[in-house]
Amino acid sequence: MELGRRTFLKVVGATGAGVAAGRGGSVLGDSLAAAAREERVPGGLERWVTTACTLCPGGCGARVRVIDTRAVKLEGNAFHPVTAGGLCPVGQAALQSLYSPDRVKGPLKRAGERGAGQWEPVSWDEALATVSGQLTTLRERGEPQGLVLVMGESQGLLPDLLRRFARAFGTPNVVEAADADPGATALWLAQGVRAPVAYDLENARYILSFGMPLVDGGWAPVRQIRALAQVRQGAPGYRGKLVQIEPRFSPTAARADEWIPVNPGTEGALALGLAHVLVADLLFDRRFIAEHGFGYEDWTDAQGREHLGFRTLLIREYTPAAVAEITGVPPETIRRLAHEFAMYGPGVAIGPRIGHPRSVETAVAIHALNAVAGAVDRVGGALVARSAPAPNWPELQPDPVARRGLAMPRLDSAGEEFLLAESSLAALAEALRRGEPYPARALFLWQANPAFAQPSPERFGDALSQVPFIVSFSPFLDESARYADFILPDHVFLEAWEHVAPPPGLPYPVVTLAQPVVEPLYDTRHAGDVVLGLATTLGGSVREALPQADFREILTAYARDLYRLRRGMVFSRHELVGPPQPLRELDWAPLPYASFEEFQAELIANGGWFDPSYRYGEWARVLRTPSGKFEFHSQVLRRMVATRAETEGTTVQAFLDRLGWIVTDDRAFLPHYEPPAGGAGDARFPRHLLPFRVLALMDGRGANQPFLQEVLAPHAQAQWGSWMELNPETAVELGIEDGDRVWVESSVGRAQVRARVYAGIMPGVVAMPEGQGHTAVGRYAAGKGVNVMELMAPDADPLTGAPILTARVRVYRAQEA
């Protein structure tokens, strides 16, 4: 191959940095091969197709340049009201997913021992006949609950379709592998609303981010980068400020106005310390507290029992001096931040990161800080997202077999062992291993790779091996797909019709539409079409619940529902592109379309629909608690705990003890700080290990795209591998120099990586990236770096069942030859 200037520029960065990461010449070969495929552009007609990137929850609008039959370039869709033409590196590199040499090219059947990676191609007819036969047998035996569906995404029409199939079939076991946002749980406990939490970032003047990776892989990075730019622009007389609070100087901290290092797991204590200053210095929002607060002051219930109020708790226990001892943040810094937050508003506090060791308690404390400051449902504050219209499914009537299955307990103990959980992948693994409370007979995997992305991934692999029949819809042979009996490969997003739900954290509804930009390259099928086909074969009430011919028909019906709303607008070069400043309730004129067909054509051409309106202060909508107020004392949680304790024949305090809480009495139902389990550490494992995500890899789904491997971490000069960051003081203490190979060892495993001495991390803390260490997926991912999840114990949050992504480790130099 001729090495031209363009190709040279693509690979030169990978070569040098790859050598630094210890891979030598293989980087050059990988990058040259990838660049060669990118250069093969045919002649022919050129066109641009509007679609959406579905590689992360951000759902950015995209336009794809297609020459003849080949997609050659992705750019952002300038019509998209949220991303406005922006597209992150993951979206830019998406062609490498479409044209990957490692895609599954048609249905496969396991030919050897499970996990051995031996497959034989089969026809779709044979594969679907076998799968439908297994499902039919389950229903004939009266065991529909034996089917488990593990989904990687939870929002959108396809997840709705999968849940509807499961309900019609008769299984309660739909388990979401997507990370749960602790902020949504805090919203439920304090405001009684089961909805995604939303933040009016664009209009905030002061943002306190408690570890949220706003620009490096959390929620919707492109939206957040644009929002932060808008905050920085400010207006005459002010400029907005972002304060990033976390133990590591992340890319978000690098773009913040101030980084506040904090001891790992203590962010909730800092939020309460800030609230203390607001209350003690009379900087709190008196009107909001008086009109919409419950449990702020000491109070007496209907039975005459006295209860501790939040104000009293703050004043007694969360002084700046006390909080400084916990967090490592000086008292004067706590006071200054609190005064800035109150005086520079509107401000908003957000966080914590997913996987935080006390995620719910921390999120509740952060949300209480918003309430004290009066930032709840206020311009630039914490809002309740207006949801996109739900699909107008016909009423589902489960048959007797399905009703019996749905009445069975969930295998993952959601709502039982884990009080606040809607699903728990961690608990599912143990249930699969033990076969209790009943065995799983079949398991479907869609956009989920738990045998890689969960703590102690081998444990989940062992659990999968206990299931007699597994089907994966993955377009790549990932670590979990290796345990499958059949691979029914899905399209990649550039080949498929998709409905993309609003990005997390957005206050108003946006529906982004993805359409095929090229014909499917291989013998793959849309997962929705496969499920609809299975419903047709099963017949009866399952077929009645899902009568559509294909997923495109479901999308068309949904588009018709949007048309009938007579609200919102199709993406366009309209004066209201982007959210109005501030968001406001709009008086809409009827949509200017003569017919549904005209509306649908513009919807597809421009990429979606949105309704950028919001009415602040609709308290009946945003405060749905038993008191109708913001509950500092959560009656929702108190009632759930009391009911569970009564059911189990124990006391409320005994139940709280089981959660591992150190607080007693009313403190349990007020925002409070709980030390992370094992926070004092073990003498054998004295360091905190923090996993972190990089935008290019996220949870590992980008690891098989070579151009993303090249842009991992410029600050660490690391690509095509893993590394460990440690503070210079820690490095001196351990006798480690930059570039040394070191062992990182926890109670469950160990890994060898290169050390990167980095001043942007607190002493006593080390950090490693997520997303590397694949043993499957493809040639660009397998064998690159280590999987940090192998160092994480399979611990789950005692309230939600979510995985706890932290560990205690020891670090020491490897003996190098």
Side-chain angles (χ1 to χ4, degrees):
M1 179 185 103
E2 181 182 354
L3 185 61
R5 179 177 182 274
R6 181 180 175 189
T7 302
F8 173 77
L9 291 175
K10 286 182 178 180
V11 303
V12 67
T15 307
V19 171
R23 292 192 67 251
S26 62
V27 175
L28 179 61
D30 289 342
S31 298
L32 283 172
R37 280 187 293 278
E38 291 293 306
E39 294 292 336
R40 298 186 192 127
V41 179
L45 294 177
E46 177 185 4
R47 57 195 171 95
W48 286 85
V49 182
T50 303
T51 187
C53 176
T54 65
L55 296 178
C56 87
C60 297
R63 296 177 71 238
V64 184
R65 184 184 180 209
V66 181
I67 299 178
D68 193 30
T69 61
R70 184 178 179 88
V72 299
K73 180 71 169 70
L74 270 80
E75 293 184 355
N77 178 7
F79 288 4
H80 197 283
V82 180
T83 56
L87 199 64
C88 78
V90 176
Q92 293 282 358
L95 294 180
Q96 294 189 332
S97 176
L98 173 66
Y99 294 114
S100 171
D102 300 312
R103 286 182 58 184
V104 179
K105 297 176 174 58
L108 297 177
K109 178 182 179 181
R110 178 167 60 85
E113 293 294 323
R114 176 166 284 179
Q118 297 176 354
W119 305 93
E120 62 182 32
V122 294
S123 68
W124 276 101
D125 287 344
E126 179 183 345
L128 292 176
T130 305
V131 174
S132 61
Q134 292 282 339
L135 296 180
T136 299
T137 299
L138 279 181
R139 282 180 56 84
E140 288 176 347
R141 291 177 177 173
E143 298 178 349
Q145 71 276 6
L147 173 64
V148 180
L149 174 60
V150 178
M151 302 193 310
E153 299 294 339
S154 60
Q155 303 295 320
L157 288 182
L158 186 48
D160 283 345
L161 167 64
L162 297 175
R163 280 188 285 263
R164 186 172 177 84
F165 174 81
R167 182 166 175 78
F169 184 83
T171 179
N173 294 308
V174 178
V175 181
E176 295 178 5
D179 298 322
D181 181 6
T185 304
L187 188 71
W188 177 38
L189 296 180
Q191 296 181 226
V193 178
R194 280 285 201 181
V197 67
Y199 297 107
D200 191 7
L201 297 178
E202 289 81 356
N203 294 306
R205 296 186 184 182
Y206 199 94
I207 301 173
L208 284 172
S209 170
F210 290 85
M212 285 303 299
L214 293 173
V215 304
D216 42 322
W219 285 345
V222 173
R223 179 248 169 164
Q224 287 140 203
I225 291 170
R226 294 189 67 246
L228 293 179
Q230 186 168 315
V231 169
R232 293 277 172 61
Q233 282 182 334
Y238 80 89
R239 176 186 182 276
K241 181 174 182 178
L242 167 65
V243 177
Q244 186 72 4
I245 302 165
E246 58 186 342
R248 173 179 174 267
F249 189 72
S250 66
T252 300
R255 289 161 177 79
D257 298 273
E258 186 175 3
W259 171 48
I260 305 294
V262 63
N263 291 332
T266 66
E267 291 87 347
L270 181 57
L272 295 170
L274 296 172
H276 168 100
V277 176
L278 295 183
V279 171
D281 293 356
L282 303 181
L283 298 173
F284 63 96
D285 190 317
R286 295 176 180 82
R287 181 173 180 178
F288 179 82
I289 297 296
E291 295 180 2
H292 305 295
F294 172 83
Y296 178 77
E297 299 286 357
D298 297 347
W299 56 288
T300 304
D301 64 21
Q303 287 72 43
R305 292 188 293 264
E306 295 183 356
H307 294 277
L308 180 72
F310 183 53
R311 185 182 70 86
T312 301
L313 179 65
L314 284 178
I315 296 301
R316 289 179 182 173
E317 300 186 11
Y318 294 101
T319 65
V323 169
E325 287 291 325
I326 297 171
T327 64
V329 179
E332 57 272 21
T333 301
I334 296 172
R335 294 190 183 93
R336 175 178 59 81
L337 291 177
H339 278 252
E340 290 180 359
F341 189 57
M343 303 303 293
Y344 293 178
V348 66
I350 63 177
R353 67 177 177 87
I354 289 170
H356 191 280
R358 286 290 187 179
S359 60
V360 173
E361 297 90 332
T362 302
V364 168
I366 292 168
H367 200 41
L369 173 61
N370 282 323
V372 170
V376 172
D377 214 59
R378 183 185 71 176
V379 174
L383 312 180
V384 174
R386 292 181 55 241
S387 59
N392 188 23
W393 299 103
E395 185 177 356
L396 192 154
Q397 297 290 343
D399 62 17
V401 172
R403 287 198 296 271
R404 287 193 295 272
L406 294 169
M408 297 292 287
R410 291 174 58 96
L411 286 175
D412 65 354
S413 305
E416 296 177 10
E417 179 179 352
F418 301 109
L419 189 66
L420 303 183
E422 295 188 0
S423 67
S424 172
L425 204 55
L428 176 65
E430 188 60 28
L432 295 180
R433 288 160 59 93
R434 295 183 313 195
E436 296 175 353
Y438 49 85
R441 302 297 186 186
L443 187 144
F444 285 3
L445 289 162
W446 176 71
Q447 292 195 6
N449 186 12
F452 171 81
Q454 288 292 302
S456 297
E458 288 188 4
R459 174 176 173 270
F460 212 103
D462 292 342
L464 290 175
S465 68
Q466 305 301 312
V467 183
F469 187 74
I470 297 176
V471 175
S472 170
F473 294 94
S474 176
F476 294 90
L477 284 170
D478 58 39
E479 285 82 358
S480 300
R482 292 185 309 182
Y483 293 90
D485 298 275
F486 280 88
I487 311 290
L488 306 181
D490 201 351
H491 299 322
V492 299
F493 78 92
L494 293 171
E495 302 169 323
W497 289 97
E498 300 287 357
H499 161 273
V500 183
L506 193 70
Y508 55 90
V510 174
V511 173
T512 308
L513 188 68
Q515 63 175 312
V517 302
V518 295
E519 292 296 319
L521 301 184
Y522 306 114
D523 190 18
T524 57
R525 289 190 185 179
H526 193 290
D529 292 348
V530 173
V531 170
L532 290 171
L534 292 173
T536 298
T537 303
L538 291 169
S541 60
V542 181
R543 169 62 174 165
E544 292 171 5
L546 298 167
Q548 296 86 359
D550 55 27
F551 189 73
R552 176 77 189 276
E553 184 178 332
I554 294 175
L555 271 180
T556 300
Y558 186 72
R560 195 177 295 278
D561 292 340
L562 293 178
Y563 177 71
R564 289 169 179 161
L565 277 178
R566 314 299 289 180
R567 284 189 61 83
M569 64 178 74
V570 171
F571 299 170
S572 66
R573 292 190 184 276
H574 191 280
E575 64 177 358
L576 289 174
V577 165
Q581 307 301 323
L583 294 169
R584 64 183 185 270
E585 183 71 13
L586 301 177
D587 296 321
W588 295 105
L591 293 173
Y593 303 106
S595 65
F596 165 69
E597 287 71 24
E598 183 182 340
F599 168 80
Q600 185 181 36
E602 188 164 344
L603 183 74
I604 294 171
N606 289 2
W609 169 97
F610 74 124
D611 181 2
S613 60
Y614 194 91
R615 188 183 296 278
Y616 298 94
E618 290 183 330
W619 300 115
R621 179 178 69 86
V622 303
L623 297 176
R624 303 180 195 171
T625 56
S627 65
K629 297 185 176 184
F630 185 99
E631 294 195 346
F632 294 99
H633 182 114
S634 176
Q635 294 187 89
V636 173
L637 181 58
R638 177 178 281 276
R639 292 178 183 182
M640 293 183 72
V641 169
T643 300
R644 177 58 56 80
E646 182 179 356
T647 301
E648 296 181 358
T650 188
T651 65
V652 167
Q653 188 56 51
F655 183 83
L656 297 176
D657 291 342
R658 199 174 76 192
L659 296 178
W661 280 2
I662 64 171
V663 299
T664 59
D665 54 66
D666 284 331
R667 290 170 176 79
F669 308 105
L670 292 167
H672 66 278
Y673 168 69
E674 288 285 343
D682 183 321
R684 297 173 301 163
F685 306 109
R687 316 289 172 188
H688 287 274
L689 170 63
L690 298 179
F692 62 89
R693 288 190 178 181
V694 293
L695 179 60
L697 297 180
M698 294 176 286
D699 60 354
R701 68 187 77 180
N704 201 39
Q705 297 178 38
F707 288 178
L708 295 181
Q709 288 278 10
E710 295 176 12
V711 295
L712 293 187
H715 77 283
Q717 297 183 331
Q719 291 150 308
W720 293 91
S722 298
W723 66 98
M724 182 208 68
E725 299 172 0
L726 75 167
N727 184 273
E729 291 182 19
T730 307
V732 170
E733 179 185 344
L734 297 175
I736 292 172
E737 296 182 358
D738 188 70
D740 283 350
R741 296 205 67 84
V742 298
W743 285 106
V744 185
E745 183 178 349
S746 73
S747 62
V748 296
R750 70 173 187 163
Q752 189 179 126
V753 292
R754 290 283 183 189
R756 287 288 176 250
V757 178
Y758 180 49
I761 193 166
M762 296 181 69
V765 180
V766 298
M768 290 174 59
E770 296 181 40
Q772 295 283 46
H774 281 281
T775 58
V777 181
R779 67 198 67 187
Y780 303 118
K784 309 301 188 293
V786 300
N787 186 357
V788 68
M789 292 299 167
E790 294 177 359
L791 303 177
M792 303 286 153
D795 297 327
D797 184 277
L799 281 172
T800 66
I804 296 173
L805 301 183
T806 187
R808 303 287 302 201
V809 298
R810 68 187 185 107
V811 178
Y812 51 96
R813 290 185 59 182
Q815 298 298 320
E816 299 188 66

